[in-house]
Amino acid sequence: MTTSASMHAERMSKPVCRMSSSRDTAQTTSASSSGWRQRLLHYLQHHPLTRLIDTFEAVQSLMARDSMLQPLADPVTLHPPTNDRLSSGTAGRDSLSCAAPVQAALEQGCSEADMVQMLDHTQMHFPLLAKPYFTDGRQGSHGLALIQNLEGLKRLVKGTGPPGVALPVMLQPFIEHGGCLFKVYVMGSSVVVVHRPSLQVPPEDEDITAQRKGIQIMTRVSAFDSKSPMGCDFVEGPPDWLLDQLAATLRSRLHLQLFNFDLVRPTENNAPGSKGADFLVVDINYFPGYEKLPNHADLLVGFLQSQLNPKQDQRPVLRRHLSSCLEPDSASDSE
């Protein structure tokens, strides 16, 4: 829990117990760390009234990209409430669909033949995004590379690409989305969405592509300056009812309460790799940087209160904040 949230809880006479120092936690909270898990299990055994909000097994599903997006491998169709008309951009529609994009893993030691077979099977087209396979905080887990062509993909497989990206990786097709990312923070039934500038692939320059030999290290989306001229002025955002329903769907399928997900809206209908969905969830992160949200202490303490008192329903809260409300993430933050 953040310092401000802890102080807020203490003012409300809610006891807060520190399990470890921030330094100890940073060194031991990797999903692969059995030490931290054993310490927490030991604490739970000796404090039977303690409520474990999210289980280790559920959190583990977000530590690798193959299982992370599995709940949306098939598109899910969502319907607006009867008293909520769809926005002008989707006039005449009685539903919107959400899915994970097409993706495929390139494992450590895969060959060029394996790579070609993967491309044939998935029908993915360049440019491609190469993301680290593991997302558990290990070194390199926040890397990102743009693969422009077959030569760049071969370099990745051979291990001759630029530093910062290496096998194993998860490949996703780059799907044009107007340079706008919707970061959706979930705390139980509370949902907060933030607009952030996102990746934009510039027109291909043959000289630059040749120089980079088909592979380019990209800045993490979460590190983009929220005051950048890149923005979301021309991209219609998701309606509130869709965010509510999509967050509830993910909570149910992931069996998690505290996470965020990155949502994009393809600018082209039936874009290759989009599975024909209206919105795409491209990443999910566990316990993200809530402290960057306005009123995060109120939201987090309210969520914890609802967990301690199940009879007191947590009223759904949906608040929109422009990206200018937030500071850019530090290099050590979650995506």
Side-chain angles (χ1 to χ4, degrees):
M1 181 183 288
T2 62
T3 300
S4 58
S6 298
M7 294 175 61
H8 187 98
E10 290 171 359
R11 287 197 300 269
M12 300 176 67
S13 300
K14 301 299 181 182
V16 177
C17 176
R18 173 172 288 185
M19 291 291 297
S20 64
S21 70
S22 58
R23 176 177 295 180
D24 291 340
T25 302
Q27 293 174 346
T28 61
T29 51
S30 167
S32 60
S33 173
S34 59
W36 168 254
R37 176 170 178 164
Q38 291 304 317
R39 287 175 62 189
L40 187 52
L41 288 175
H42 181 268
Y43 181 89
L44 292 172
Q45 289 171 358
H46 288 80
H47 299 80
L49 296 181
T50 301
R51 174 72 182 274
L52 182 63
I53 294 174
D54 292 326
T55 67
F56 290 106
E57 291 74 18
V59 174
Q60 190 72 27
S61 69
L62 299 187
M63 298 297 106
R65 294 191 187 275
D66 62 341
S67 55
M68 173 195 294
L69 298 180
Q70 189 59 37
L72 293 177
D74 295 320
V76 57
T77 301
L78 304 175
H79 301 272
T82 54
N83 59 347
D84 192 335
R85 295 183 179 181
L86 294 183
S87 60
S88 59
T90 51
R93 302 276 303 279
D94 61 358
S95 65
L96 293 172
S97 60
C98 301
V102 171
Q103 61 178 16
L106 284 182
E107 300 179 358
Q108 189 77 39
C110 78
S111 64
E112 287 191 27
D114 296 329
M115 175 195 72
V116 172
Q117 184 178 13
M118 178 275 298
L119 289 175
D120 289 341
H121 177 71
T122 61
Q123 295 295 299
M124 285 196 292
H125 302 285
F126 297 102
L128 301 174
L129 294 176
K131 302 179 179 182
Y133 181 85
F134 295 106
T135 60
D136 55 3
R138 67 184 66 185
Q139 184 177 4
S141 61
H142 293 300
L144 179 65
L146 179 70
I147 312 296
Q148 290 277 16
N149 51 39
L150 188 59
E151 181 182 359
L153 193 56
K154 288 180 179 179
R155 291 187 64 205
L156 178 63
V157 169
K158 292 178 180 179
T160 59
V165 61
L167 299 182
V169 298
M170 185 66 74
L171 296 178
Q172 294 176 353
F174 175 81
I175 298 173
E176 182 56 57
H177 51 281
C180 183
L181 178 82
F182 304 100
K183 245 179 172 11
V184 185
Y185 293 81
V186 180
M187 283 179 277
S189 59
S190 291
V191 181
V192 180
V193 59
V194 177
H195 299 193
R196 299 298 298 267
S198 181
L199 296 175
Q200 289 182 309
V201 176
E204 185 171 341
D205 184 304
E206 292 184 2
D207 294 334
I208 294 178
T209 300
Q211 182 180 356
R212 293 169 175 161
K213 297 183 179 179
I215 184 170
Q216 176 185 358
I217 300 298
M218 304 296 289
T219 303
R220 284 173 48 219
V221 173
S222 59
F224 283 178
D225 189 338
S226 60
K227 298 179 182 179
S228 166
M230 299 167 59
C232 306
D233 295 340
F234 304 103
V235 179
E236 182 183 4
D240 292 356
W241 62 264
L242 180 139
L243 294 174
D244 252 347
Q245 292 185 32
L246 180 56
T249 298
L250 287 173
R251 283 169 51 209
S252 174
R253 295 184 179 185
L254 292 169
H255 304 289
L256 293 172
Q257 299 288 329
L258 297 166
F259 60 93
N260 77 352
F261 57 93
D262 293 347
L263 191 69
V264 299
R265 182 169 201 162
T267 55
E268 176 187 347
N269 291 332
N270 295 311
S274 70
K275 302 177 183 176
D278 298 294
F279 290 91
L280 296 173
V281 175
V282 295
D283 268 312
I284 307 176
N285 303 289
Y286 185 67
F287 206 87
Y290 292 117
E291 70 277 3
K292 294 183 287 293
L293 295 174
N295 302 320
H296 78 278
D298 292 337
L299 291 170
L300 189 53
V301 172
F303 164 74
L304 293 176
Q305 285 183 306
S306 72
Q307 297 298 302
L308 293 173
N309 186 4
K311 295 182 180 180
Q312 178 182 352
D313 292 336
Q314 181 191 10
R315 297 181 62 186
V317 179
L318 183 63
R319 302 178 181 176
R320 290 184 175 273
H321 299 282
L322 295 177
S323 59
S324 59
C325 294
L326 303 182
E327 295 298 326
D329 295 0
S330 67
S332 60
D333 287 341
S334 299
E335 289 184 346

